[in-house]
Amino acid sequence: MKIGLIGSGGREHALCHFLYKSKKVSEIFCIPGNAGTNSIAKNIQLDLNDFESIKKFIIKNEIKLIIVGPEKPLVEGIVDYLEKFNIKVFGPDKIASQLEGSKIFTKKLCEKYNIPTAKFGIFKSFKDANNFLINSKFPIVIKADGLASGKGVYISENKTEGVQAIKEIFDGKFGNASQVLIEEFLDGEEMSYFIITDGRTYKKFQTAQDHKRVFEGDKGKNTGGMGAYSPSKLINDELDNKILKKIIEPTLKGIKNLGTNYRGFLYAGLMIKDNEPYLIEYNVRMGDPECQTILPKLKNDLFEVIYSCIENNLGSLNLNWSDNKSLCIVLCSKGYPDKFDNEKQINNLKELSIQENKNEFLFHAGTKIIDDKIYSNGGRVLNFIKTSKNFKESRDDIIKKINELNWENGFFRKDIGYRVIDK
């Protein structure tokens, strides 16, 4: 079967890699893809905002299934648009995608269905938000309502930082803002929890711990993700059951009551305190870099898993997972998440030995090809993954590989997984 994959990051290269291994997939088109996907798929340079051009390409090339990687096309309704032309698409529709598209939508859903989350307030003007901060207890969490590439969340330690945060949001740092979300700070440990669903049933799709802050020790600005490990050290049977019964199932019920079914990956960002889960946010797709970390553990044919969702047949599958520990480190452009230079050549990449039979993986993110050479094309550039019997072995092996690459324009966090390794 010919399939199409929308996106260009590390998540999409990981999806492409494991879809390519399926005997049921004859050809993959990546829209637009990166230097990594280029070696196993056809990269197609189309504007992701131009649904009409994407639809025409799909029909012309007889592509039978589209998998949407990133959140923006989902939130903007690409699933609804393509399905009007009888194109099969894996991903939630526009209504369901509001779970990520609007943090306020999700908070109201939590309120309606008694889903545990931080106490919150919604403010429609700088003045009202500012007045609320006067009597607030710090630290406090301030969020832009819409999509912000993982960067629209502020943890403000005092009123000065809080005022700056709401000013930046209302001034349009993350797009036009008519309201801001302010919520209590939950003191606990974060966990990423994933499911996959066909709209009728769901299956658990592993857990992970992401590292959002740019510097070691979880310091500095938020990023799209500097690395991750799977499984989370926090997960246990009791907590797992609480997450499903208190958070996941009420959410799916709430979406169904809006007149649609959720189909695709669903990613719950959770705060765990005293073995109790609280929803921080939802993402309506696989995480990045969690996807790169989790997929090497999946023993099933990824295409069969995804296609079973399209056919509303996920319930007939059993998902099988490796017991290995998986860890991912992201190599970034110097200056990220602030100003950085693109089109910096990455030498030695073709000479670097990455052996999948030793559970080593390298997934491209912000890369491009110019005259048969690989250059950087984004803040997060390469993802190094290793699965093994323990996290320390995985991290040590990855750091050795990154040092072998010796890319002078890159940097990375050397402490990914510190909560489970460096205790």
Side-chain angles (χ1 to χ4, degrees):
M1 180 184 292
K2 290 183 180 181
I3 63 174
L5 179 60
I6 290 177
S8 62
R11 167 184 50 227
E12 285 73 40
H13 187 193
L15 288 166
C16 188
H17 175 87
F18 290 103
L19 289 165
Y20 179 76
K21 295 165 75 73
S22 174
K23 293 178 180 178
K24 296 183 178 180
V25 174
S26 59
E27 192 171 16
I28 304 174
F29 297 88
C30 285
I31 307 170
N34 58 38
T37 61
N38 187 69
S39 64
I40 53 176
K42 288 185 179 178
N43 285 354
I44 307 298
Q45 299 305 310
L46 291 174
D47 181 355
L48 294 191
N49 297 312
D50 187 351
F51 293 175
E52 174 72 9
S53 293
I54 292 172
K55 178 260 296 183
K56 287 180 178 178
F57 180 83
I58 291 166
I59 293 172
K60 180 180 178 182
N61 289 275
E62 299 180 329
I63 297 170
K64 301 302 182 185
L65 171 65
I66 292 292
I67 299 162
V68 186
E71 63 276 14
K72 190 170 182 287
L74 292 168
V75 171
E76 293 179 352
I78 193 168
V79 172
D80 310 64
Y81 180 82
L82 294 179
E83 285 183 343
K84 287 192 297 185
F85 300 95
N86 297 316
I87 295 169
K88 293 180 178 179
V89 192
F90 177 77
D93 64 15
K94 192 170 185 177
I95 293 174
S97 293
Q98 289 183 85
L99 285 172
E100 182 167 2
S102 170
K103 295 178 181 67
I104 290 171
F105 169 88
T106 298
K107 280 293 188 179
K108 289 180 177 178
L109 192 83
C110 289
E111 194 171 50
K112 183 173 182 179
Y113 291 93
N114 298 313
I115 295 167
T117 189
K119 295 175 184 175
F120 67 97
I122 301 164
F123 302 91
K124 296 186 177 181
S125 71
F126 175 86
K127 181 181 178 181
D128 289 345
N130 185 49
N131 287 340
F132 178 80
L133 291 180
I134 293 172
N135 298 312
S136 292
K137 180 183 176 182
F138 291 89
I140 203 164
V141 182
I142 300 173
K143 296 180 178 180
D145 182 37
L147 296 178
S149 302
K151 303 181 188 71
V153 177
Y154 298 81
I155 300 175
S156 300
E157 299 290 342
N158 51 57
K159 185 174 184 293
T160 301
E161 291 183 7
V163 170
Q164 179 66 23
I166 59 175
K167 185 176 187 303
E168 288 184 3
I169 291 170
F170 277 118
D171 283 351
K173 183 174 181 179
F174 306 103
N176 185 42
S178 60
Q179 48 192 357
V180 68
L181 179 69
I182 301 179
E183 61 184 43
E184 69 172 330
F185 176 80
L186 293 175
D187 186 18
E189 282 193 56
E190 291 189 36
M191 181 173 77
S192 302
Y193 190 98
F194 298 88
I195 66 158
I196 188 171
T197 175
D198 62 1
R200 292 182 180 178
T201 189
Y202 67 83
K203 302 281 186 181
K204 294 181 289 185
F205 213 81
Q206 296 289 301
T207 63
Q209 171 69 58
D210 188 16
H211 295 64
K212 286 286 187 188
R213 298 298 185 105
V214 66
F215 298 129
E216 287 163 22
D218 289 329
K219 306 294 185 184
K221 293 184 177 180
N222 269 342
T223 70
M226 298 296 294
Y229 65 87
S230 176
S232 165
K233 74 182 181 70
L234 302 174
I235 196 65
N236 57 65
D237 289 343
E238 182 185 2
L239 177 60
D240 195 41
N241 187 59
K242 288 177 180 177
I243 292 167
L244 294 174
K245 299 302 180 185
K246 293 183 177 184
I247 296 176
I248 300 298
E249 291 178 5
T251 298
L252 296 177
K253 178 184 177 183
I255 292 299
K256 190 168 188 176
N257 288 343
L258 290 172
T260 189
N261 285 317
Y262 193 104
R263 183 169 66 197
F265 291 117
L266 181 61
Y267 160 13
L270 306 173
M271 186 68 74
I272 311 300
K273 184 176 182 179
D274 300 327
N275 211 43
E276 290 291 334
Y278 298 85
L279 181 70
I280 302 172
E281 64 179 4
Y282 271 125
N283 292 325
V284 295
R285 32 72 189 185
M286 275 299 283
D288 184 337
E290 293 98 332
C291 180
Q292 299 90 293
T293 316
I294 288 171
L295 284 184
K297 290 163 52 70
L298 179 67
K299 292 183 176 181
N300 298 70
D301 180 321
L302 178 61
F303 171 80
E304 289 182 359
V305 174
I306 288 175
Y307 201 72
S308 73
C309 290
I310 297 297
E311 296 295 301
N312 296 314
N313 197 32
L314 181 63
S316 67
L317 280 186
N318 290 318
L319 298 189
N320 298 303
W321 300 92
S322 164
D323 291 329
N324 276 356
K325 315 294 187 184
S326 183
L327 190 135
C328 169
I329 297 178
V330 181
L331 182 60
C332 301
S333 296
K334 284 182 178 177
Y336 175 77
D338 295 315
K339 187 177 180 181
F340 55 86
D341 293 326
N342 276 328
E343 297 193 358
K344 295 292 185 180
Q345 189 174 347
I346 308 171
N347 296 312
N348 308 323
L349 195 54
K350 291 180 180 177
E351 289 72 38
L352 193 67
S353 175
I354 301 293
Q355 300 180 60
E356 191 168 337
N357 63 353
K358 293 185 177 180
N359 298 315
E360 300 170 348
F361 301 86
L362 174 61
F363 297 128
H364 290 235
T367 62
K368 66 191 296 187
I369 296 173
I370 305 174
D371 297 329
D372 292 326
K373 295 176 181 177
I374 297 174
Y375 290 80
S376 63
N377 187 41
R380 296 188 295 165
V381 181
L382 295 169
N383 301 264
F384 290 78
I385 298 93
K386 167 86 175 187
T387 75
S388 67
K389 293 302 179 184
N390 67 79
F391 289 118
K392 187 176 188 305
E393 178 185 333
S394 294
R395 187 173 72 181
D396 289 348
D397 184 75
I398 289 170
I399 290 174
K400 190 183 299 182
K401 294 292 182 186
I402 296 176
N403 288 335
E404 282 178 27
L405 180 64
N406 193 29
W407 184 46
E408 61 182 13
N409 294 292
F411 80 99
F412 64 100
R413 277 184 59 170
K414 300 177 182 65
D415 69 338
I416 301 300
Y418 72 91
R419 291 183 185 272
V420 288
I421 297 173
D422 301 329
K423 291 287 187 183

